[in-house]
Amino acid sequence: SANGGIRFEQVLRPSDTLTNAVDYFGFVNVFADADEKVRRQPSSVEAGIESGYSFGMTAFLAYLRIPSAAVSQVITRGDNMLTIASEHHIPVDDLGFWRQNFFTPSDDEGGFTTVSFQDVLNGMVDPALFEDKIVMVGLMNSVNAPDERATPLQISMAGVEIHAHALETLLQGVPLTEQTRISEALTIILLCIVSSLVYVRLRWYWMLPLAFALVAAWAIFAFVTFSTAHILINLFHPFLALTLPLIGNTGWQITSEINRRRSAEHWLGIIQRQKELLETVLGGSPTGIVVLDRFGCFNSANRAFTEAFGFTKPMLANKHFIQLMQDAAVPDEARQKLSEGIQQFQPFRMEFKHQSKTFMVDAATLPSDERWVIIFHDVSVLAELSEIKTHMIRMLSHDLKNPLASVI
């Protein structure tokens, strides 16, 4: 209507007998939301040339002993708020609807007391039951004239009980307030930011339990807020705000892990190929190569080394290099120099003879890995040539000093 309430073109009034016996008239129409559940009650209603208030509102006004002629003076409406007698405040929307609360169903213990109207007429109900009580009369559990609607409390609730819950809401002063759009938007943004900052610091297998904990904490917060402040907090969008960052961070971490593994497998393949190439080169090298740890214990050796000193692979396992040299009958002087060089952990070069061979030894350290790489060059041919050269020089020197006698 022009005043912001609900308007009907026609109105169905009670009989004249009831009309003459009451002080207030209230509209009993209820309105369901999109899911066909009744959650709201109208406040002001217009029907033709008449205007009034909903049934729950008029019953509440009668309870407050406010004369019907003074209703327009004690009820004021401001920005989304209806005030009765300056004491009772009811949040309303632009159409004047207010959110009612629901309590224990009438068929449960602690719910509204219900008695048969027929039993009352037959005198089978003690009148004391109605003393200081607000009594509502209506159809319940009727098959021939059903008056039931779905509510958040029950799938099917009688219209008179819906109005009883609405009146109880006003009597207790606990009408519900919906969370504002601004507050809901800020809540969603805040939850998204906070959850994203938390999720990004955790591995994906820790994010799922944390998400459940955050959702449970938010549900508890919404329940406490509903119970204490009677504010309806939307749970769906905050739950999305907590779970969407979870899905995003989990997907990002899984994708990153897959990419890291692919990269690692790629580089591992390259390293494996380089290792195979290096092993092939070292294995086919005619120069003996041995790798030791920082303290001279054997790590590995190529075939040229084992063949040069008569070793087999089982003989090299868990042996110290100096012990191996001793087993190979390397001269004591050579073993002493090798031992001193290894102890100093500094590169060195030396030459020694073993059996019929002469070896030039080059030892280098790997400081980053604390290992030794020792190369044994078989220079027997060079040594033999050097000896022949030396012998020839000596012979020439001797002949020059003692020239041949002239032959006559």
Side-chain angles (χ1 to χ4, degrees), residues 115-179:
V115 295
S116 170
F117 187 69
Q118 186 67 36
D119 292 343
V120 175
L121 294 179
N122 294 333
M124 300 174 62
V125 178
D126 185 2
L129 180 65
F130 306 112
E131 291 182 359
D132 298 325
K133 301 291 191 303
I134 297 176
V135 180
M136 290 187 176
V137 181
L139 294 174
M140 295 186 68
N141 304 320
S142 175
V143 177
N144 297 326
D147 179 27
E148 297 183 351
R149 304 294 292 271
T151 66
L153 189 62
Q154 287 182 323
I155 298 177
S156 181
M157 180 179 288
V160 64
E161 187 173 356
I162 292 176
H163 288 294
H165 284 283
L167 178 57
E168 185 68 17
T169 300
L170 297 176
L171 292 174
Q172 294 190 22
V174 289
L176 303 180
T177 304
E178 294 187 20
Q179 187 180 12

Side-chain angles (χ1 to χ4, degrees), residues 127 134 145 147 247 257 271 299 326 350 358 372 397:
I134 297 176
D147 179 27
I247 296 173
E257 186 68 22
I271 294 173
N299 285 163
Q326 183 177 354
M350 61 173 290
T358 303
W372 280 100
S397 298

Side-chain angles (χ1 to χ4, degrees), residues 224-259:
V224 172
T225 303
F226 175 81
S227 301
T228 57
H230 313 296
I231 298 177
L232 293 172
I233 295 180
N234 190 314
L235 293 178
F236 178 72
H237 294 106
F239 285 173
L240 283 181
L242 292 173
T243 54
L244 288 180
L246 168 67
I247 296 173
N249 278 279
T250 303
W252 174 74
Q253 288 195 11
I254 292 177
T255 302
S256 299
E257 186 68 22
I258 292 174
N259 292 334

Side-chain angles (χ1 to χ4, degrees), residues 94-130:
D94 295 336
L95 295 178
F97 283 93
W98 55 279
R99 293 291 295 260
Q100 72 174 88
N101 212 331
F102 287 91
F103 306 91
T104 307
S106 59
D107 52 0
D108 291 348
E109 184 178 356
F112 297 118
T113 303
T114 59
V115 295
S116 170
F117 187 69
Q118 186 67 36
D119 292 343
V120 175
L121 294 179
N122 294 333
M124 300 174 62
V125 178
D126 185 2
L129 180 65
F130 306 112

Side-chain angles (χ1 to χ4, degrees), residues 9 24 29 38 69-70 75 79 104 117 209 311 317 319 359 373 390 405:
E9 295 299 328
Y24 286 90
N29 300 69
V38 176
I75 296 180
D79 294 336
T104 307
F117 187 69
F311 292 123
K319 287 289 189 69
F359 292 96
V373 176
T390 303

Side-chain angles (χ1 to χ4, degrees), residues 307-324:
E307 291 179 352
F309 292 93
F311 292 123
T312 60
K313 287 295 179 68
M315 296 172 60
L316 300 175
N318 301 321
K319 287 289 189 69
H320 194 276
F321 180 67
I322 302 303
Q323 181 64 42
L324 292 174

